[in-house]
Amino acid sequence: MRALLLVNPKATSTHRRTRDVLIRALGAAVDLSVEETAYRGHATALAATAHAKGFDAVAVLGGDGTINETVNGLLDARPGGGASDRPALIVIPGGSANVFARALGLPNNPVEATGAVLEALREGRRRTIGLGQAIWHDEVSGPDPGAGAPPDQRRSRYFTFCAGLGYDAEVVRAVEGLRSAGHRALPALYVNTTVRHFFVTDRRRPAIRLTRPGRPPEDGIFMAIVSNTSPWTYAGTRPINPTPWAGFETGLDMLGLRKMSLPAVLTLVRQIIGEHRGLPRGKHLVQIHDEAEFTLLASRPVAFQLDGDYLGEHEWVIFRAIPDALQVLV
């Protein structure tokens, strides 16, 4: 097997010595070529060339952002094909949260994860997973996605585990600002930022509407969490599960909040931290499961994030489930 390994040298939880050990271990199992990412979007560009260069797999040593870029490169290079038409994906977690790797069942430790990957290689274990796709327009284009942006001006991006509009995306934006100022991406940074930002976000004027084909719209949503799998994220070792039924083999799930009072949010938090099988309960919640497509419209530009990457403020985003999109060695 020929494999291309994409290494993010700035990955949070690895250092040069660890990376060298992991590269040697992988190189002993496959015909390995190694590329280091140098800028944002570099992993996308490198992964897009993998099929044409004859690679059977693309491995990623990095965090969720580098993995997302790689996945988009693989799918952008062959958008009309199925999972078997693309190089397989190998994931070695190197970030702070590593949500996608952990959702696949991989250890959070990069050395242990490499051991699991090598075992999967020896035994030929592969898993086919679905992805999510978000479609939007980079400029403020009005509240109607059908009339607001010509198809050739739309932007799209695939996501592996989550996307969101509203409060959670505002927190991602704030954390990115703190990280650019030198703060480390530790769980405490996300928790503290989430708590502080709750008291400055707009909790009086809900902006988001959910629309689905053949269904009445749902209005008055403050925050929408879109999931391709569960958990949504982690607080240290503890999973956070607002959409516990989401999975790589189903369509997309969503949880929307119609009430942003402190009691309502604390009640929700108690229901979603830890391992839960049942859905959160509350009259102020909007929940959908296993949807092929839906649209979130906003009466004003709202913050948007995808796989933990802040993508600006937008007035509409279309979400689609892409089944059987990618093979992963796990």
Side-chain angles (χ1 to χ4, degrees), residues 5 7 15-34 59 61 92 110-111 114-115 117-118 121-122:
L5 173 62
V7 178
H15 49 75
R16 173 62 67 180
R17 183 176 297 176
T18 302
R19 292 194 292 270
D20 289 344
V21 170
L22 301 183
I23 289 170
R24 285 197 295 271
L26 281 174
V30 298
D31 181 4
L32 190 68
S33 298
V34 181
L61 174 53
I92 302 173
V111 176
T114 301
V117 165
L118 292 174
L121 284 166
R122 287 193 299 268

Side-chain angles (χ1 to χ4, degrees), residues 100-156:
F100 180 60
R102 293 158 87 174
L104 290 170
L106 287 167
N108 194 34
N109 180 282
V111 176
E112 294 177 6
T114 301
V117 165
L118 292 174
E119 184 179 290
L121 284 166
R122 287 193 299 268
E123 299 180 2
R125 292 201 309 264
R126 296 187 179 212
R127 178 182 180 184
T128 301
I129 65 168
L131 298 171
Q133 183 185 31
I135 302 167
W136 71 95
H137 190 251
D138 276 339
E139 303 297 331
V140 175
S141 55
D144 183 359
D152 61 344
Q153 294 183 14
R154 293 185 178 189
R155 303 287 181 265
S156 70

Side-chain angles (χ1 to χ4, degrees), residues 193-211:
T193 304
T194 299
V195 172
R196 288 198 306 270
H197 197 75
F198 175 80
F199 296 100
V200 299
T201 191
D202 189 339
R203 291 178 283 132
R204 295 186 177 182
R205 300 178 301 149
I208 301 170
R209 162 186 277 199
L210 165 68
T211 66

Side-chain angles (χ1 to χ4, degrees), residues 271-285:
Q271 295 184 73
I272 66 176
I273 292 183
E275 298 288 350
H276 295 282
R277 295 181 181 273
L279 294 176
R281 298 179 181 179
K283 294 181 179 179
H284 57 286
L285 302 179

Side-chain angles (χ1 to χ4, degrees), residues 301-316:
V302 295
F304 171 44
Q305 68 88 10
L306 186 148
D307 277 356
D309 188 11
Y310 177 66
L311 295 176
E313 294 188 340
H314 302 285
E315 291 185 336
W316 57 264

